[in-house]
């Protein structure tokens, strides 16, 4: 097992912890990781975009002019796609299902690959605890400054969502606060760093170890 230091909220080393190599130190599978990201983005699509075809727009019940003798190109309706106000050809359809599927083993492998990359790139920060006396945003900003995480996208993983921590982080656009069981591949890849408490790390290892 590889060792990783645990810091306090001031950025000072407190102790070390052993990371499970079968979760945090596997050989990342880029192909499965790529598929998991595509799946996450596809499944987040609302699929509500819609346009009207020439059959759905109003007007155009008769030919605009006779077929021959006018010198103009023949036209069947003023609501054909080449006319202003006409229907849209090959536009988005709200009945299209964009969701994709991935089996459980691939999902788990993708998440472990993403977590392993965070360890390889030294983007995993473990802290002993995350608790605030007040719910002020400056409490979270002070922690980020102490850990050199200012202006970075940070995925914060805690074992319990306390009111003060939730309120202190909700106004920061670059922060996402989740529980161990809510950690997913896309959030891990999308974040510049993972900030996780020691208890949350143990729970995350338990979740991934039991799957």
């Amino acid at each position: 097992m590889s060792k990783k230091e645990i810091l306090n909220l001031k950025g000072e080393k407190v102790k070390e912890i052993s990371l499970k190599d079968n979760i945090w130190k596997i050989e990342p599978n880029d192909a499965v990781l790529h598929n998991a990201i595509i799946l996450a983005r596809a499944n987040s699509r609302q699929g509500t975009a819609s346009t009207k075809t020439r059959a759905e727009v109003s007007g155009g019940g008769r030919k605009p002019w006779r077929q021959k003798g006018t010198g103009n190109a023949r036209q069947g309706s003023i609501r054909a796609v080449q006319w202003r106000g006409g229907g849209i050809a090959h536009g988005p359809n709200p009945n299209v299902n964009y969701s994709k599927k991935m089996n459980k083993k691939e999902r788990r492998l993708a998440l472990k690959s993403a977590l392993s990359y965070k360890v390889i790139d030294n983007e995993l920060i473990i802290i002993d605890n995350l608790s605030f006396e007040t719910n002020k945003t400056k409490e979270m900003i002070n922690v980020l400054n102490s850990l050199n995480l200012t202006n970075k996208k940070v995925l914060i993983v805690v074992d319990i969502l306390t009111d003060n921590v939730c309120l202190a982080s909700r106004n920061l656009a670059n922060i996402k606060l989740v529980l161990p069981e809510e950690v997913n591949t896309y959030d891990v890849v999308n974040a510049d760093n993972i900030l996780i408490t020691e208890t949350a790390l143990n729970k995350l290892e338990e979740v991934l170890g039991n799957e």
Side-chain angles (χ1 to χ4, degrees), residues 112-182:
K112 289 181 179 180
S113 296
L115 293 174
S116 296
Y117 268 126
K118 291 303 179 186
V119 174
I120 293 172
D121 298 334
N122 198 27
E123 295 174 348
L124 173 67
I125 299 175
I126 307 172
I127 54 177
D128 55 352
N129 187 33
L130 184 63
S131 59
F132 300 140
E133 295 181 357
T134 67
N135 57 12
K136 301 296 184 181
T137 304
K138 67 180 180 181
E139 295 270 16
M140 181 62 75
I141 293 177
N142 291 336
V143 172
L144 297 177
N145 291 337
S146 299
L147 299 174
N148 297 320
L149 296 176
T150 308
N151 298 325
K152 292 185 177 180
K153 286 185 178 180
V154 184
L155 178 65
I156 301 178
V157 188
V158 295
D159 58 303
I160 184 171
L161 296 175
T162 62
D163 289 341
N164 285 348
V165 173
C166 291
L167 293 173
S169 60
R170 70 177 181 176
N171 287 332
L172 299 175
N174 59 329
I175 297 298
K176 184 165 186 178
L177 188 67
V178 297
L179 295 171
E181 56 270 19
E182 297 172 339

Side-chain angles (χ1 to χ4, degrees), residues 34-129:
H34 175 265
N35 290 338
I37 295 172
I38 296 298
L39 177 141
R41 292 178 62 86
N43 290 352
S44 65
R45 294 183 65 174
Q46 289 183 327
T48 55
S50 179
T51 55
K52 291 184 177 182
T53 66
R54 61 182 294 172
E56 296 169 316
V57 293
S58 61
R62 65 179 179 84
K63 283 174 70 68
W65 50 74
R66 58 196 176 92
Q67 183 82 349
K68 296 180 180 294
T70 64
N72 297 323
R74 53 191 175 187
Q75 301 291 333
S77 170
I78 61 171
R79 289 300 174 250
V81 296
Q82 71 270 21
W83 286 74
R84 180 181 179 183
I88 302 299
H90 311 297
N93 188 329
N95 297 321
V96 176
N97 183 8
Y98 295 102
S99 64
K100 297 179 180 293
K101 293 183 179 180
M102 178 179 284
N103 65 51
K104 188 175 181 180
K105 288 185 178 180
E106 287 181 314
R107 288 175 183 266
R108 183 168 65 246
L109 177 59
L111 179 54
K112 289 181 179 180
S113 296
L115 293 174
S116 296
Y117 268 126
K118 291 303 179 186
V119 174
I120 293 172
D121 298 334
N122 198 27
E123 295 174 348
L124 173 67
I125 299 175
I126 307 172
I127 54 177
D128 55 352
N129 187 33

